[in-house]
Amino acid sequence: MSKDGYLTFALTKGRLADKTMELLERTGIRCEEMKDKHTRKLIFVNEEMKYKFFLAKGPDVPTYVEYGAADIGVVGRDTIIEEGRNVFEVLDLGFGKCRMCVCGPASAKTLLQHHEMIRVATKYPKIAKDYFYNQKHQTVEIIKMNGSIELAPIVGLSEVICDIVETGSTLKENGLVVLEEICPLSARMIVNQVSMRMENERITALIKELRAVVDAEKR
Ligand code: PRP
């Protein structure tokens, strides 16, 4: 971690990484070798500015950051809450906006209202458990799935799902609706706790620059 003078970023593979690089470019941090879509490289370097970048699956990003394999990470708030790692969450980057919701067929509304013992399929068992057990005080059976969660109520695996809604089109195309909203989500920057101390000046300056770009975008 920063031993070699580099500040290392773990980015969430896909759209979040692309958006992060766009944002960093606006502060003057570029990484040309990351733009080659056919490359098989795993680590990308900006030698001049002493930055390293690597791409990882969302749930692995907080892990890399907690253990100091990366100083900084960019990942969705959903993943930060679900993974519960010891990292500092320092900045809302303002993109990747969506909502964590309980969804299902409109007919499932009454099951929620009457606190029925229902099955909830989700990629986010911790978030679902916290919502149903600690906030709603409703006993439910949580079923951990790994994707295409909208399938679950359609094929009869569960009554509802706890999942991310962005545009709402996946729900709409499958005859499902938002039944309850749990929390808003967006991409966040996280920092390793030791890096924050050891590289405080550099990281604080970076956060300040990024915040200025994010704020300008909001206006
Ligand atoms: C996410 C989420 C929903 C969908 C919501 O899935 O789980 O299925 O996006 O987006 P929308 O409201 O814009 O339709 P993702 O595409 O990440 O893949 P997954 O099914 O593998 O989880």
Side-chain angles (χ1 to χ4, degrees):
M1 172 202 344
S2 323
K3 303 178 270 304
D4 48 7
Y6 288 90
L7 215 52
T8 302
F9 276 81
L11 305 180
T12 302
K13 217 184 262 185
R15 246 169 53 90
L16 281 195
D18 296 343
K19 286 272 194 187
T20 306
M21 292 316 290
E22 278 173 34
L23 187 69
L24 287 171
E25 281 200 7
R26 261 171 262 155
T27 70
I29 301 169
R30 302 170 66 85
C31 190
E32 294 308 320
E33 57 177 11
M34 238 174 130
K35 292 187 177 165
D36 176 5
K37 293 288 171 203
H38 303 292
T39 184
R40 308 280 294 171
K41 274 183 100 162
L42 295 172
I43 301 218
F44 307 92
V45 186
N46 177 331
E47 285 293 353
E48 204 184 314
M49 300 179 84
K50 295 285 181 217
Y51 285 107
K52 282 185 188 168
F53 303 90
F54 64 82
L55 302 174
K57 287 263 188 192
D60 293 340
V61 168
T63 312
Y64 283 115
V65 175
E66 180 181 295
Y67 284 92
D71 302 291
I72 294 171
V74 174
V75 65
R77 181 171 176 242
D78 48 314
T79 307
I80 297 172
I81 305 173
E82 188 63 30
E83 295 300 312
R85 292 282 177 182
N86 285 316
V87 295
F88 290 135
E89 185 184 319
V90 296
L91 188 62
D92 181 345
L93 297 174
F95 54 77
K97 282 194 178 158
C98 49
R99 302 175 290 158
M100 184 64 70
C101 298
V102 177
C103 313
S107 59
K109 185 116 203 149
T110 53
L111 302 175
L112 292 170
Q113 280 163 350
H114 298 144
H115 283 222
E116 303 267 0
M117 173 70 192
I118 52 171
R119 286 188 291 201
V120 182
T122 185
K123 250 196 320 199
Y124 303 91
K126 191 169 158 192
I127 294 175
K129 206 168 173 181
D130 179 66
Y131 179 69
F132 279 100
Y133 284 62
N134 301 335
Q135 297 187 45
K136 277 181 63 98
H137 306 291
Q138 177 172 2
T139 306
V140 296
E141 183 180 344
I142 289 161
I143 306 174
K144 162 82 163 76
M145 301 300 290
N146 295 294
S148 302
I149 310 296
E150 289 82 358
L151 252 182
I154 298 171
V155 299
L157 176 68
S158 69
E159 282 78 18
V160 300
I161 60 174
C162 168
D163 199 19
I164 287 172
V165 179
E166 190 180 353
T167 60
S169 51
T170 311
L171 290 179
K172 202 165 165 202
E173 285 183 33
N174 291 289
L176 305 172
V177 295
V178 171
L179 299 166
E180 288 173 0
E181 196 172 318
I182 301 177
C183 62
L185 303 166
S186 59
R188 304 293 162 105
M189 179 169 153
I190 55 175
V191 178
N192 171 269
Q193 297 187 343
V194 177
S195 303
M196 196 64 178
R197 271 204 314 275
M198 306 296 281
E199 296 285 336
N200 190 269
E201 217 169 296
R202 199 173 171 199
I203 294 176
T204 310
L206 176 65
I207 296 170
K208 202 173 154 198
E209 279 187 63
L210 285 170
R211 183 174 289 129
V213 176
V214 171
D215 286 350
E217 204 111 303
K218 271 191 225 153
R219 272 181 248 123

